[in-house]
Amino acid sequence: MTIRTARPDRGQHFRSRIHCLKKLEATMVEMQDPKCGVKGSEQKLNITTIPHVITGETQAHAYTHLITPEEAQAFGTMLVAYGYIYPLQNHRKLIMCNDTSLYRFQTPYFWPTQTWVAEDTEYAIYLAKRNIRKKGVLEPYEQAHYNHLHKWLNHKWDFIVLQATEQYKAGRERKKPDRVVFDCQERAYWMVNRPPVSVCNYNIFYQQAIMRSKVKSSVSLGALVKYITTYKNHDPFLATCLPSNPWQTDNDTYWNLNMRGIDVPTKMRVERWSFSFFELLNDLRGRDDFKIFLKKEFSGENLAFWEAAEELKLGTASSMSTKAETIFKTFLAPGAPRWINIDGRTMGLTVKGLEHPHRYVLEAAQTHVFLLMKKDTFFRYLKSPVYKEIQKKALNPEPHNFTYQNARNRSPGIHPIILWQQEEQEKAKAAAASAPVDVKAMMSKIDRKK
């Protein structure tokens, strides 16, 4: 029989945050100070009296003079999640409740910064001890871990059972309050270091692993080579920027030629649009050119809906309901002015989700419209006269020869705030041009001028 001893490193995962944990431990020492710390008292747990117990309300009110009650509760939850405070009642609920729930400070031996590692052997001894105490009745997640470790550590299971039996006998000699406290301390430590994972999650993981598509290494390498070949001329580390790299030459011509509002883009920029539909939408100048093509095709509502969904996804929470209602009336409602053509199932899910709108309520419909434009409209755009015309007009700037005299004579570039103001003015003009014209108001202004 082959004894497998190689296991993934499941030791302490707090080492990279050791500095922050040291600050938490200093706070814990202050909280346990007998003079100015959090006051504990004796509380009854079932029929056992437990000393030095604090409640969630006590911990929350301890720092209200420094932080808000919400921040104090969040700080307490962080202490419970890291294992500095442990609950006495609901062990699987690693949060600090602002009520009369009972908690105790964890002994420093179980703090995350200790050098000893939470090994599988120690966890197996703990589960075997609980199995003896509970007479074979464990929690579902503990039973799953117990069965797994029994198979994994079968070569030394006799030693594990012997250690568990000796620890169980030693615990029986303690007083009952001490036994309850030590059991809660140990359980809280393993809840932090071995969180419960249900058998259902294991099954879902294995199902996804089985159903995951397998790709040959030759296919993946071929795709990687194709990607590098496509983008090598557009990578500033592999190819030079035209006319020059502004970070090296202190010349901002490259940035000016690649602004959104520029009339004639560069050839490199136009060539990048043909790589993928995502590259076209990611470039705002390319998106504007794509809108011109869609306007001629009388299918501009698809891109308008995609942009509205992106705006809803990235917008503020206060305007979410208003934007969702506007999108529904414009694109999804029966007889909408810019109604989009999507399948009935996606439409039903989207309309039902708009009853309680959130950021990603339009995700299914947006993906459907995106794939529709990617598979059909995008390739027709690349073959259209609109794209061919912009290819002919595209600029091919000459390389810039940098000298010290050129740097002295360089005109100052446009400030980013000024660029942002110009873009906002262009958006306002476009919105005013697309808004309906009030004929009566226009006639009244003309009469006043006369």
Side-chain angles (χ1 to χ4, degrees), residues 62-318:
Y63 288 93
T64 51
H65 63 287
L66 297 176
I67 54 180
T68 62
E70 292 78 10
E71 292 175 339
Q73 186 175 358
F75 179 68
T77 299
M78 182 176 64
L79 293 177
V80 175
Y82 278 100
Y84 290 104
I85 298 176
Y86 63 90
L88 290 174
Q89 294 165 321
N90 194 349
H91 302 278
R92 298 186 63 176
K93 196 174 182 181
L94 295 179
I95 62 173
M96 177 68 73
C97 300
N98 191 9
D99 52 18
T100 57
S101 301
L102 303 181
Y103 299 88
R104 286 188 93 250
F105 292 110
Q106 183 66 283
T107 180
Y109 177 76
F110 291 113
W111 284 0
T113 53
Q114 297 300 318
T115 56
W116 71 287
V117 180
E119 295 180 347
D120 288 337
T121 304
E122 298 290 336
Y123 188 45
I125 294 172
Y126 164 74
L127 291 178
K129 182 171 58 175
R130 279 188 59 81
N131 190 50
I132 296 171
R133 184 186 304 119
K134 297 293 183 180
K135 297 180 180 180
V137 181
L138 296 175
E139 296 285 341
Y141 75 93
E142 291 178 336
Q143 189 65 49
H145 283 306
Y146 181 84
N147 296 335
H148 178 71
L149 292 173
H150 192 187
K151 294 178 181 179
W152 185 262
L153 303 174
N154 57 356
H155 58 282
K156 56 179 179 179
W157 194 252
D158 294 337
F159 166 76
I160 291 171
V161 173
L162 181 62
Q163 286 289 326
T165 306
E166 292 298 326
Q167 290 186 16
Y168 174 72
K169 291 179 180 179
R172 292 285 294 177
E173 298 176 359
R174 298 190 182 98
K175 296 180 180 180
K176 190 173 182 180
D178 295 338
R179 287 204 310 267
V180 174
V181 168
F182 184 74
D183 180 48
C184 293
Q185 287 177 342
E186 203 173 17
R187 185 187 297 184
Y189 173 79
W190 289 115
M191 281 292 297
V192 173
N193 289 272
R194 292 290 192 276
V197 180
S198 64
V199 180
C200 178
N201 290 340
Y202 275 126
N203 293 337
I204 293 174
F205 171 76
Y206 288 128
Q207 288 176 6
Q208 291 176 350
I210 293 172
M211 296 172 61
R212 191 179 296 125
S213 59
K214 307 297 189 298
V215 181
K216 294 182 179 180
S217 59
S218 58
V219 176
S220 60
L221 290 175
L224 180 61
V225 171
K226 182 180 178 181
Y227 179 86
I228 294 174
T229 305
T230 303
Y231 283 90
K232 67 178 182 179
N233 294 329
H234 297 262
D235 193 325
F237 289 99
L238 302 178
T240 58
C241 297
L242 293 178
S244 63
N245 190 330
W247 298 104
Q248 294 177 347
T249 62
D250 199 26
N251 186 288
D252 58 357
T253 307
Y254 175 80
W255 288 332
N256 294 332
L257 291 175
N258 288 276
M259 291 192 304
R260 177 184 180 177
I262 194 168
D263 295 331
V264 183
T266 61
K267 285 188 176 181
M268 296 283 288
R269 190 175 181 182
V270 175
E271 181 187 0
R272 196 180 180 101
W273 299 347
S274 64
F275 291 167
S276 66
F277 186 53
F278 177 78
E279 290 286 352
L280 178 64
L281 292 184
N282 197 36
D283 191 336
L284 298 179
R285 178 62 181 84
R287 195 187 301 180
D288 293 339
D289 199 63
F290 188 55
K291 286 179 182 178
I292 298 174
F293 168 74
L294 292 178
K295 189 174 182 180
K296 294 182 179 180
E297 293 275 323
F298 301 100
S299 59
E301 66 277 357
N302 289 334
L303 183 59
F305 173 77
W306 185 87
E307 289 181 329
E310 284 291 305
E311 186 177 354
L312 176 67
K313 191 185 300 182
L314 303 175
T316 59
S318 58

